[in-house]
Amino acid sequence: MSDYTTTTDSGATCFRCCFSFILTLGLTSLFMWLSLRTSNPILSIQDIYIPALNKTLNSTSYKSVYIDLKLDNVNKDKGIYYDPLNITLLYYNQSNSSGIDKIVSPISNYTLRGFYQGHNKHTRRKNWTETYGLPVDGGVVFKLDLETKIRFKILFWKTKRHRLVVGADFEVSNLGQKVQKKGTRLKSGVPEYFSGKFQLRMLLVSFSSFALVLV
Ligand SMILES: *[C@@H]1O[C@H](CO)[C@@H](O)[C@H](O)[C@H]1NC(C)=O
Ligand SMILES: *[C@@H]1O[C@H](CO)[C@@H](O)[C@H](O)[C@H]1NC(C)=O
Ligand SMILES: *[C@@H]1O[C@H](CO)[C@@H](O)[C@H](O)[C@H]1NC(C)=O
């Protein structure tokens, strides 16, 4: 005890005290950032069936399409509130004689109701949806786009809404079924690490509080 009251040691004590304070704050902000960090859900197309493209049925009168999606909340301890999910089905119109082969034509849209998904939960959404202007030939590349807004539930509070825009291409065989047997993951054009504004802000808050103590 007496060591701490002598004048010769006070400088070192102050330094030690300051140092552990900075260290504690640094670790706290790092821990805060790690525990508030969120991951977007993993969305994928599990199955697609387009009867109009099933050559063995030999009928193009079918107008509907079957879509089976999987939504996977990969967060270990954060729930997700989904706003209504807007889904658009398109195909690459390659029959354009002008040589432009990247024209996408929408053929269907539908909306899934918003819902809450607990941490580590996954769920399927299987729907038949009406289409317009389906291509008549198989071997076509399709595209599914999904747009929604999500909020994360962290302990007792909800984050602000942020946009989730993802999509994927897939091929359909001439039996009308998605060629890839495995799930096709819907991806965002922006790398996930940079897409979460919330995440970036938390990182900034952590770092600036750390830096503040250093100066
Ligand atoms: C295509 O149609 C045939 C004949 O009706 C049917 O047996 C087959 O199951 C259909 N294909 C798929 C992928 O459902
Ligand atoms: C082909 O592409 C051109 C240029 O985008 C467009 O003006 C034309 O309408 C397209 N034709 C068809 C048949 O889609
Ligand atoms: C989904 O579609 C509805 C109706 O068109 C629109 O009001 C809403 O803003 C869309 N949501 C997103 C996230 O784009």
Side-chain angles (χ1 to χ4, degrees), residues 93 95-100 103:
N93 183 355
S95 58
N96 195 309
S97 53
S98 62
I100 303 159
I103 299 166

Side-chain angles (χ1 to χ4, degrees), residues 50-53 57-65 128 130-131 134:
I50 306 181
L53 296 186
L57 279 177
N58 205 19
S59 166
T60 53
S61 61
Y62 292 94
K63 290 276 181 284
S64 36
V65 168
W128 282 95
E130 288 302 300
T131 62
L134 257 178

Side-chain angles (χ1 to χ4, degrees), residues 49 54-57 173 175-177:
Y49 178 45
N54 187 347
K55 287 283 186 270
T56 56
L57 279 177
S173 72
L175 285 177
Q177 199 152 35

Side-chain angles (χ1 to χ4, degrees), residues 21-190:
F21 180 65
I22 290 168
L23 197 69
T24 309
L25 208 78
L27 287 176
T28 307
S29 51
L30 183 69
F31 175 76
M32 259 182 69
W33 177 65
L34 286 176
S35 58
L36 291 175
R37 209 169 39 145
T38 53
S39 297
N40 283 341
I42 292 177
L43 311 180
S44 56
I45 310 169
Q46 294 300 305
D47 194 18
I48 301 261
Y49 178 45
I50 306 181
L53 296 186
N54 187 347
K55 287 283 186 270
T56 56
L57 279 177
N58 205 19
S59 166
T60 53
S61 61
Y62 292 94
K63 290 276 181 284
S64 36
V65 168
Y66 173 77
I67 300 175
D68 174 0
L69 299 175
K70 186 177 174 195
L71 303 97
D72 196 355
N73 179 4
V74 291
N75 290 281
K76 286 195 179 63
D77 48 12
K78 293 164 193 82
I80 295 178
Y81 292 94
Y82 295 86
D83 274 6
L85 300 110
N86 294 348
I87 292 150
T88 312
L89 191 64
L90 314 100
Y91 76 100
Y92 288 99
N93 183 355
Q94 286 162 328
S95 58
N96 195 309
S97 53
S98 62
I100 303 159
D101 60 354
K102 280 283 181 179
I103 299 166
V104 282
S105 312
I107 49 173
S108 181
N109 359 35
Y110 66 103
T111 301
L112 295 175
R113 218 179 308 143
F115 67 103
Y116 173 73
Q117 184 172 47
H119 58 89
N120 265 337
K121 292 280 194 300
H122 52 84
T123 182
R124 300 283 274 267
R125 289 289 184 270
K126 303 173 183 182
N127 294 84
W128 282 95
T129 174
E130 288 302 300
T131 62
Y132 44 89
L134 257 178
V136 287
D137 301 312
V140 175
V141 178
F142 289 84
K143 182 173 166 53
L144 187 138
D145 282 338
L146 185 150
E147 193 168 344
T148 186
K149 285 190 177 134
I150 55 172
R151 284 169 295 166
F152 292 97
K153 179 172 180 279
I154 303 177
L155 294 175
F156 305 110
W157 55 282
K158 295 178 198 168
T159 66
K160 283 205 292 189
R161 284 184 164 79
H162 54 263
R163 275 161 65 87
L164 187 67
V165 182
V166 289
D169 295 347
F170 61 92
E171 278 173 74
V172 171
S173 72
N174 50 24
L175 285 177
Q177 199 152 35
K178 184 163 88 79
V179 172
Q180 298 92 337
K181 282 280 159 269
K182 285 197 297 177
T184 303
R185 185 167 173 181
L186 302 176
K187 288 182 178 153
S188 141
V190 191

